[in-house]
Amino acid sequence: DTGVSQNPRHKITKRGQNVTFRCDPISEHNRLYWYRQTLGQGPEFLTYFQNEAQLEKSRLLSDRFSAERPKGSFSTLEIQRTEQGDSAMYLCASSWPRDSENPGNTIYFGEGSWLTVV
Amino acid sequence: AQSVTQPDIHITVSEGASLELRCNYSYGATPYLFWYVQSPGQGLQLLLKYFSGDTLVQGIKGFEAEFKRSQSSFNLRKPSVHWSDAAEYFCAVGGMEYGNKLVFGAGTILRVKS
């Protein structure tokens, strides 16, 4: 069972540039999540996919952010025209469907992608 | 408001001593509760979870947590801390009112002194 894989692990970019992060979930998981974590804070929910459908987006996900999961497998998170406030760790997570064996929706995280905007 | 509170930002314990990390939640119905651990620069690893049934749940690495509905708490405990337990610990809550996401507390940083 390979875990959730994210790349790149670290990205330094200049303000105004676009960046893209990729997430490969655990293979049998059909749910995929993006979270953002800044220093001293817990992860904050950004968006959620079930298969290829993006079913929920946080207000934190501004128009400069777009996430896709075109074939229901890997996902990408793109940030356009980056700002210094976008500097954070972007965490991807995945889970099985919520059912009787997973009523609480246990999610499993990747190692995260660090973004530094200079 | 639906939220998770971890009152202690930092905790320092001696190696071999017992540990208790506090977590309080605000949620109307029965919550689903989780503890995750994060080492510096890494992602989050699931330690344990509570969905229903026995209110004392066992997790990995010798951790346990107890759900107390009357106190809206889900405190994490370990009887004897090892230096390798130094990390940041996050409590999280999920449930139907949260939809498909988990809501996390701000975390508690554990330091272990030898």
Side-chain angles (χ1 to χ4, degrees):
Chain A
D1 177 20
T2 57
V4 178
S5 175
Q6 294 188 244
N7 64 82
R9 292 292 317 280
H10 299 89
K11 179 73 175 179
I12 300 174
T13 191
K14 292 183 178 179
R15 189 178 54 182
Q17 297 296 304
N18 299 344
V19 296
T20 299
F21 299 111
R22 175 179 169 126
C23 172
D24 289 272
I26 294 171
S27 58
E28 61 267 31
H29 288 181
N30 72 338
R31 295 183 165 199
L32 186 145
Y33 309 79
W34 286 99
Y35 280 75
R36 181 172 68 187
Q37 185 180 21
T38 53
L39 286 176
Q41 299 297 318
E44 296 175 295
F45 172 79
L46 291 179
T47 190
Y48 150 70
F49 291 84
Q50 180 158 308
N51 300 311
E52 66 275 11
Q54 188 174 19
L55 298 183
E56 189 173 350
K57 293 195 291 185
S58 163
R59 291 171 305 191
L60 294 175
L61 211 66
S62 76
D63 292 344
R64 297 184 297 105
F65 287 70
S66 62
E68 296 182 341
R69 194 182 183 197
K71 297 183 179 179
S73 56
F74 72 91
S75 175
T76 58
L77 177 68
E78 181 182 20
I79 308 173
Q80 295 181 327
R81 305 181 303 280
T82 52
E83 301 173 355
Q84 287 187 325
D86 297 332
S87 296
M89 182 158 69
Y90 291 85
L91 290 159
C92 179
S94 67
S95 74
W96 286 284
R98 187 200 299 271
D99 58 21
S100 60
E101 293 191 1
N102 182 34
N105 201 37
T106 305
I107 65 175
Y108 297 87
F109 285 88
E111 294 296 303
S113 292
W114 279 102
L115 173 65
T116 302
V117 181
V118 298
Chain B
Q2 301 167 339
S3 66
V4 179
T5 302
Q6 294 182 245
D8 304 304
I9 298 174
H10 297 99
I11 281 186
T12 300
V13 299
S14 297
E15 191 169 15
S18 63
L19 170 70
E20 183 168 26
L21 302 182
R22 296 183 291 164
C23 173
N24 293 96
Y25 65 89
S26 171
Y27 188 67
T30 299
Y32 302 121
L33 295 160
F34 306 81
W35 276 99
Y36 287 84
V37 61
Q38 185 178 38
S39 298
Q42 303 298 313
L44 281 75
Q45 182 183 21
L46 178 68
L47 283 176
L48 48 77
K49 60 190 177 187
Y50 170 78
F51 290 168
S52 65
D54 192 345
T55 56
L56 183 64
V57 293
Q58 303 297 319
I60 62 171
K61 305 185 180 185
F63 285 92
E64 65 178 27
E66 186 171 13
F67 170 57
K68 293 185 178 179
R69 184 189 303 275
S70 62
Q71 298 178 18
S72 297
S73 69
F74 189 57
N75 294 349
L76 182 71
R77 301 194 294 247
K78 186 169 185 178
S80 178
V81 169
H82 188 262
W83 64 267
S84 60
D85 294 323
E88 190 162 15
Y89 292 79
F90 292 94
C91 181
V93 62
M96 297 307 294
E97 292 184 23
Y98 290 102
N100 295 292
K101 61 183 177 287
L102 299 185
V103 175
F104 286 81
T108 298
I109 296 172
L110 172 64
R111 298 189 179 113
V112 180
K113 59 182 181 180
S114 55

